[in-house]
Amino acid sequence: MAEPQKKSFLPVFLNGLITENPTFTLMLGMCPTLGVTTAAMNGVAMGLATTFVLVFSNLIISLLRNIIPDKVRIPAYIVVIASFVTMIDLFMQAFLPELRAVLGTYIQLIVVNCIIFARAESFAAKNPPLASLADGLGMGLGFTCSITLLAAVREIFGSGTCFGLQVMPAGYQPMAIMNMVPGGFITLGVLMILVNVIKRVAARRSEERKEEKLA
Amino acid sequence: MQKQLAITSCPHIRSRKTTQRIMQDVCIALAPAGIAGIVFFGARAAAIIAVSVITCVLTELVYEKMMGQRVTIGDWSAVVTGLLLAYNIPATAPLWIPMVGGVIAILLVKMLFGGIGSNFMNPALTARAVLFVSWGGIMGSYPVTRFMEQTADGLSGATPLAELARVFAGQATLAEGTGLWDLFIGNCPGVLGETCKLAILLGGVWLILRDVADWKIPVSMIGTVFVLYLLTSGFNFGLSLREVLSGGLLLGAFFMATDYATSPQSNLGRVIFGVGCGLIVFVIRAYANYPEGCSFAILFMNVVTPLIDRYTMPKCFGEVKQHG
């Protein structure tokens, strides 16, 4: 990316949400992506918790980007990120204890989530606060949408429900492998194929439209 | 569309071996086991075989039509996958089991990785593993044959492998279990294509005589299981022989481990592959929670195949050893 160029809010936000979607394009944060996505609700909760941490860590790191010495930047990032993870962890323990129990240690593991590190290192450390905020929000929501989609597909086939509601007919025998790690990998792979197909079709369409305009 | 034009120096020898002919040979070799399955488990077995084959061929056809690719169902490989998948399903399974399995085998394992020859795992076995892990209750309940004492639900309490595991652990004697002859002709509970060892051996010999499969893989795989059981059971010959004739070992060794795309190319590599398969089968059967480990063993060695190939490639004539 061209560094000195000024970045406005919306393109940066959409970049994280779609173009450089952390799950389907960057393939970051695979640990929670495969670990907690057995039910759609878990996907939403995990995604939002990560988004919260991502937005604020990006903002703070961006504000401090000229103060943090280069040599100790990684420990400095960890301190910032860990503070927000602790906040969201304590918040969930207090107000959403059941969800916290399901997600378990994956909440604490947000500290080492590579999406957050990657954005701190490659974006927040080089860009002004507002753009970093937009990037955090876009990346976070992009992550939330993708893992919720993944979790919904796995829940539908693995348990016959979606967000806890029965969607499959009564005689449906749940496909247990979808609740296990191999099912996560298979679903992720299939969804990635579909996302790439959609992207390619969309690219071709816009190309055609351009040609039409020229003609 | 791939255009492969390999230019090599002469002499050029034209082989009459085509994919289609090889696959037809495999189908012929698989026929006795299927007929035995129908004889022992009834018309239900025929229905499962038919559904499985039709699903596999249709999946390949629909995928290739949708993707605008050349339709390759004429090479019979989907038929082979369908047959192998059906042979891994117990005859009591509902008909949607082979349907789901066929789609997984062809779409997920074969076509998405580039079609015939590009899959890195055996399609039929992978589908079986997915089915087995997903619907263990259906895939793991083995019916008694029509010539055995009938039970109330038509299911058997213990498969030969479960009996043998108890013998191996010293909790039972061989005399209580299924007899050697019943094991050999297939009058024992199991999935529909694996029980009749006689039919599988006939098919296996056909494959080897027709130069379709290499004898090294099945022989080293079965031999490893036999020898390891001999060594660990204090040279209990009867037990070791029964272990070889039980479960899916013969079917897997002759028909699935020898899959071209997922087994090594060189002679040494094939022996390593076979011994590795046999070792894992033995470890799973003797010490793990699953009663049978044949499919997992072959799948695991499928994944290791590129590595084996890499280290066992024969040196080209005149190639100089590289100096470090």
Side-chain angles (χ1 to χ4, degrees):
Chain A
M1 62 183 97
E3 289 317 323
Q5 196 186 340
K6 219 178 171 188
K7 288 193 169 71
S8 52
F9 192 89
L10 199 63
V12 173
F13 174 75
L14 288 178
N15 177 54
L17 194 63
I18 298 161
T19 326
E20 283 187 30
N21 184 292
T23 308
F24 294 127
T25 308
L26 301 181
M27 288 197 71
L28 292 175
M30 285 295 120
C31 181
T33 300
L34 296 165
V36 301
T37 54
T38 47
M41 202 55 222
N42 294 355
V44 176
M46 188 68 212
L48 290 181
T50 310
T51 307
F52 168 82
V53 177
L54 192 49
V55 166
F56 284 99
S57 69
N58 255 11
L59 180 67
I60 300 293
I61 289 167
S62 172
L63 285 171
L64 297 174
R65 70 187 187 282
N66 296 327
I67 302 166
I68 298 173
D70 209 36
K71 277 182 185 163
V72 292
R73 67 185 192 286
I74 299 292
Y77 297 161
I78 293 177
V79 171
V80 175
I81 295 166
S83 314
F84 289 108
V85 173
T86 311
M87 281 181 218
I88 193 82
D89 190 25
L90 292 176
F91 173 83
M92 285 182 82
Q93 282 181 23
F95 296 102
L96 303 160
E98 285 144 22
L99 208 54
R100 171 65 179 69
V102 173
L103 295 178
T105 188
Y106 282 104
I107 292 292
Q108 287 147 5
L109 282 175
I110 296 176
V111 176
V112 285
N113 186 314
C114 42
I115 301 175
I116 297 172
F117 264 103
R119 295 331 287 175
E121 176 79 3
S122 69
F123 198 95
K126 297 165 187 163
N127 287 290
L130 190 66
S132 300
L133 190 93
D135 181 69
L137 205 59
M139 284 285 164
L141 291 180
F143 179 66
T144 309
C145 292
S146 353
I147 66 168
T148 306
L149 178 67
L150 182 66
V153 173
R154 286 179 73 182
E155 192 185 339
I156 289 171
F157 287 105
S159 317
T161 59
C162 187
F163 286 102
L165 297 169
Q166 189 75 29
V167 287
M168 283 292 190
Y172 179 72
Q173 303 217 27
M175 193 173 172
I177 199 169
M178 294 304 262
N179 290 334
M180 304 178 197
V181 178
F185 277 108
I186 292 170
T187 318
L188 182 65
V190 172
L191 286 179
M192 217 173 271
I193 292 172
L194 293 179
V195 168
N196 280 336
V197 169
I198 293 169
K199 272 186 181 171
R200 208 173 291 172
V201 171
R204 206 180 299 153
R205 288 255 171 86
S206 69
E207 199 93 326
E208 283 168 2
R209 229 169 280 150
K210 263 184 212 161
E211 278 170 18
E212 270 169 33
K213 264 183 199 166
L214 287 175
Chain B
M1 200 60 48
Q2 290 168 306
K3 272 188 194 150
Q4 285 178 332
L5 198 64
I7 301 170
T8 56
S9 59
C10 55
H12 301 283
I13 300 169
R14 191 171 189 282
S15 166
R16 284 186 317 177
K17 261 194 188 176
T18 58
T19 308
Q20 187 187 20
R21 217 203 71 178
I22 290 172
M23 291 302 161
Q24 283 169 347
D25 264 339
V26 178
C27 287
I28 293 170
L30 279 169
I35 293 166
I38 296 168
V39 169
F40 282 112
F41 296 109
R44 184 83 195 163
I48 288 180
I49 295 174
V51 170
S52 175
V53 170
I54 292 169
T55 311
C56 283
V57 174
L58 271 185
T59 309
E60 188 160 324
L61 178 72
V62 170
Y63 178 86
E64 283 170 338
K65 285 274 179 212
M66 272 176 64
M67 292 292 146
Q69 292 176 353
R70 194 165 57 89
V71 173
T72 56
I73 55 170
D75 66 13
W76 284 65
S77 67
V79 178
V80 170
T81 301
L83 284 176
L84 285 175
L85 174 67
Y87 288 6
N88 275 299
I89 296 172
T92 42
L95 290 180
W96 56 264
I97 285 272
M99 275 186 213
V100 174
V103 173
I104 292 170
I106 297 293
L107 181 68
L108 218 56
V109 189
K110 186 178 167 195
M111 299 320 291
L112 286 185
F113 284 93
I116 183 168
S118 304
N119 49 302
F120 72 105
M121 287 211 251
N122 185 304
L125 268 186
T126 315
R128 182 206 122 96
V130 170
L131 294 175
F132 193 83
V133 172
S134 292
W135 296 285
I138 296 171
M139 292 295 287
S141 56
Y142 303 114
V144 295
T145 65
R146 294 196 297 171
F147 310 105
M148 289 169 72
E149 206 180 317
Q150 295 300 310
T151 53
D153 55 356
L155 297 177
S156 85
T159 61
L161 273 177
E163 294 166 5
L164 290 172
R166 294 188 56 222
V167 177
F168 185 70
Q171 294 161 338
T173 60
L174 274 182
E176 298 167 29
T178 316
L180 210 50
W181 176 249
D182 278 342
L183 276 182
F184 186 64
I185 60 160
N187 193 19
C188 57
V191 297
L192 74 86
E194 74 176 11
T195 58
C196 183
K197 313 306 173 318
L198 176 67
I200 295 168
L201 284 174
L202 278 178
V205 170
W206 171 262
L207 283 188
I208 291 166
L209 288 182
R210 296 281 288 178
D211 205 19
V212 172
D214 190 349
W215 59 272
K216 294 180 199 70
I217 293 175
V219 168
S220 57
M221 180 173 173
I222 297 165
T224 305
V225 174
F226 184 73
V227 169
L228 285 173
Y229 264 106
L230 266 189
L231 292 178
T232 50
S233 64
F235 292 92
N236 186 339
F237 193 77
L239 172 73
S240 309
L241 192 59
R242 280 176 174 80
E243 281 287 353
V244 167
L245 292 178
S246 303
L249 180 60
L250 289 190
L251 182 68
F254 280 110
F255 291 98
M256 297 179 194
T258 53
D259 180 1
Y260 290 140
T262 55
S263 64
Q265 314 275 318
S266 66
N267 288 336
L268 176 65
R270 287 180 174 170
V271 174
I272 296 174
F273 181 87
V275 171
C277 285
L279 185 69
I280 300 172
V281 170
F282 168 74
V283 168
I284 296 180
R285 278 190 186 178
Y287 304 112
N289 284 331
Y290 280 115
E292 171 64 307
C294 199
S295 48
F296 293 118
I298 297 172
L299 286 176
F300 185 82
M301 292 310 286
N302 282 168
V303 180
V304 187
T305 293
L307 203 65
I308 299 176
D309 263 341
R310 188 177 165 159
Y311 286 106
T312 58
M313 267 299 144
K315 287 271 175 295
C316 287
F317 180 68
E319 191 175 325
V320 182
K321 210 179 203 176
Q322 283 187 354
H323 294 284

